[in-house]
Amino acid sequence: MINKVLQFYNYDKALAYFEDRLMHIHQAPVKRSGFKAVAKPVLLLAILKAIDNGTISANRFDYNLLESYYTTLFRQYFMQARQESLTPMYYPWYFMSHDDFWHLSWQGSEPIKTESPSAAFIRRNTTHAYFSDDLWTLVCHPGYRHQLMQFLIEEKIIAPLRSNSGKIAAESGPSLKTMLMMLMAI
C-alpha cells in the first residue's frame, strides 16, 4: 500500500491529529541539561526515512533493519538536540508502545512488561513493531510523510532548543565530560 493515496481519507485532519499526539508523547529528560531525550522522534524519523527510500514497504518494522537508520540519525541530530549520549534504540522501541499509534507484535499472546528493556529482550520477545492503521495510511502518502518528517525535526528535535534559548545563551558551553560523552557516541 506504500504511496497509495486514498480518495476519501482526510489526510489534513489525520496529519493535525498525529502532530498533536506527537507533541504530547512522553520524552524522558536528559539528566544534566533538562532537555528532552529525542530517541522517540528519531526512531519515528528513521522509520519514515526507511519508508521514503523503499526499505520499508509494509506496516511491519524490523528491529535489526532499523537499528542502523536510527543510529545514523541520532548521531546526525546529537549535538543539535543537546543529548548527552546515544540512547539505545530498544528504549524508544519498547516505551513508545505506551503511545496509541505504536504497537509491538509479541512472540506470545500477552505483552511482557519490563522497566529495563534491552536489545536481547526485544529480539527474544517481539517479532516486529507497527503503526496504527491511521498513521500507516498517512505516512504512505509521500507529501504527508514529508510533512510529518519535517514536523519531527523542527518541533520535536530542534524546537526544544529554541524554547530554552535563554538557558543555552547563559551557558558557557558543554562541560569537558559532556563533550567526551558526545565524542564517544559519535
Side-chain angles (χ1 to χ4, degrees), residues 63-111:
Y63 184 88
N64 295 324
L65 175 82
L66 285 165
E67 205 164 18
S68 64
Y69 279 90
Y70 172 82
T71 302
T72 300
L73 283 171
F74 202 104
R75 287 181 175 152
Q76 178 182 340
Y77 291 109
F78 184 82
M79 297 286 282
Q80 282 180 289
R82 308 217 6 132
Q83 303 296 285
E84 293 176 359
S85 61
L86 173 70
T87 303
M89 190 174 83
Y90 51 82
Y91 284 116
W93 191 272
Y94 175 78
F95 288 112
M96 201 156 43
S97 65
H98 297 103
D99 295 301
D100 63 351
F101 58 85
W102 178 260
H103 308 283
L104 296 176
S105 181
W106 295 94
Q107 295 278 359
S109 60
E110 294 293 318

